[in-house]
Amino acid sequence: MTILDGKKISEDIKNEIANEVDKMKAKGEKVPHLAAILVGNDGASLTYVGSKVKACERVGFESTLVKMPHTTSELELLNKIKELNEDDNIDGFIVQLPLPPQIDTQKVLLTVDPSKDVDGFHPENFGKMALDMSTFIPATPFGILELLQRYNVDTKGKHTVVIGRSHIVGRPMSILMSRKGWPGNSTVTLTHSNTKNIAQITTQADIIISALGVPNFLKAEMVKDDVVIIDVGITRVEDPNSPKGYKITGDVDFENVSKKSSFITPVPGGVGPMTIAMLLKNTLLAREQRRAH
């Protein structure tokens, strides 16, 4: 059994990006600039955005954090997005989700300039991804592809079962795993909360990508031997023995499922670190595209 070590691979990717940035600096070129808009003060969002800003420093990017109060109106946020769209100094930006209830998330995502949408959430980028055209792939799916690639996991002709159909992970993974090329060329079954007899489907899977958000949902009896497991779930579970009072748990019963797996991602330290690394990679791509135009 091989652990798909997202922590290690994400460090490799950050080193590669830092080298690219050094080359840009040596040529006197502008370095990539990533901005993030954070509305409100949701604890998890603050942590995520904080680590994105740190990661930018680590690779030599410029970064800007735009903080807006949770009382921000939809119009104020849309105006801020238009400002970033028009700012030539900014190569890519993200709007940290979830947004407060008074703001329509779809409207916000539609307002982001697709050429700066390094999260890959704009319908134009999502559509290009579905049509196999070059575009920004959402950071978490992009990170999963990169892990499969760097560990040489064979996906051709394999049966991939995706659990969860969110627009951020499940749906894009089902599209990407069935595309021509590698990682891809697999036969995909997309399962979700209304799927009947899910264990019957998962026991036939060669590769399982779980993005459900239900701790320890996938049990050893639900998988076959030598399965490849990608666990995208990340849930805080109360744990009196932990100094923090909780532990981070994935969708997969790691202890038992890992005994039957050929490859498996740990939680934490699997898919999570890859997401930020690929956001940086998308920002580097955005910078290169802007330079080419």
Side-chain angles (χ1 to χ4, degrees):
M1 186 266 296
T2 304
I3 295 273
L4 296 169
D5 187 346
K7 214 170 172 185
K8 181 197 170 294
I9 299 295
S10 70
E11 285 306 311
D12 293 348
I13 292 167
K14 285 177 195 165
N15 290 334
E16 290 159 17
I17 293 172
N19 286 339
E20 287 299 317
V21 173
D22 287 342
K23 286 181 201 163
M24 287 177 167
K25 283 181 180 163
K27 289 183 195 159
E29 286 173 11
K30 177 187 168 320
V31 301
H33 187 159
L34 175 68
I37 301 179
L38 179 61
V39 184
N41 41 17
D42 174 70
S45 294
L46 280 166
T47 310
Y48 283 140
V49 172
S51 40
K52 286 166 184 173
V53 170
K54 272 200 205 91
C56 283
E57 282 168 20
R58 152 97 165 72
V59 298
F61 283 9
E62 285 181 33
S63 68
T64 301
L65 175 54
V66 180
K67 278 185 170 170
M68 302 179 83
H70 69 95
T71 51
T72 300
S73 72
E74 190 177 281
L75 186 64
E76 286 169 320
L77 177 56
L78 294 178
N79 285 335
K80 179 52 75 179
I81 289 171
K82 286 173 183 151
E83 208 178 288
L84 295 182
N85 283 342
E86 287 159 17
D87 185 343
D88 268 348
N89 191 30
I90 302 229
D91 297 300
F93 69 93
I94 59 163
V95 181
Q96 185 64 45
L97 302 178
L99 291 165
Q102 72 272 18
I103 297 172
D104 177 351
T105 301
Q106 278 316 89
K107 205 183 264 186
V108 165
L109 296 180
L110 278 168
T111 309
V112 176
D113 177 346
S115 74
K116 293 189 177 190
D117 166 41
V118 287
D119 257 338
F121 292 162
H122 191 285
E124 183 179 311
N125 289 329
F126 199 96
K128 283 180 169 174
M129 177 196 72
L131 293 168
D132 256 349
M133 296 161 75
S134 78
T135 187
F136 298 120
I137 296 173
T140 302
F142 197 6
I144 294 169
L145 294 178
E146 196 75 17
L147 271 180
L148 294 170
Q149 208 165 2
R150 295 202 183 210
Y151 278 94
N152 252 320
V153 177
D154 185 18
T155 59
K156 187 180 178 181
K158 302 294 184 191
H159 182 196
T160 297
V161 171
V162 179
I163 307 175
R165 54 180 164 185
S166 78
H167 295 161
I168 296 173
V169 183
R171 186 91 40 97
M173 276 324 298
S174 68
I175 295 168
L176 292 162
M177 291 301 284
S178 64
R179 67 183 181 168
K180 277 187 180 167
W182 178 67
N185 277 324
S186 60
T187 303
V188 179
T189 305
L190 179 60
T191 63
H192 45 76
S193 53
N194 287 302
T195 302
K196 293 192 172 94
N197 308 335
I198 198 159
Q200 262 182 341
I201 299 170
T202 54
T203 45
Q204 294 169 18
D206 303 306
I207 300 168
I208 298 174
I209 299 168
S210 184
L212 196 62
V214 178
N216 296 317
F217 170 80
L218 195 72
K219 305 276 191 277
E221 63 271 17
M222 294 169 71
V223 306
K224 66 178 188 183
D225 287 338
D226 291 332
V227 66
V228 175
I229 300 281
I230 305 286
D231 188 352
V232 190
I234 181 159
T235 312
R236 285 184 178 188
V237 177
E238 280 182 28
D239 179 8
N241 302 325
S242 155
K244 291 178 180 165
Y246 66 86
K247 61 177 183 184
I248 298 290
T249 306
D251 287 354
V252 178
D253 171 6
F254 184 88
E255 196 182 328
N256 297 304
V257 172
S258 60
K259 292 170 185 157
K260 294 176 86 171
S261 310
S262 54
F263 295 90
I264 189 167
T265 59
V267 175
V271 175
M274 293 299 294
T275 300
I276 289 182
M278 301 323 277
L279 180 69
L280 297 174
K281 194 154 186 177
N282 273 344
T283 307
L284 181 65
L285 292 171
R287 176 71 221 128
E288 287 168 353
Q289 281 167 14
R290 296 180 75 71
R291 193 178 61 218
H293 283 161

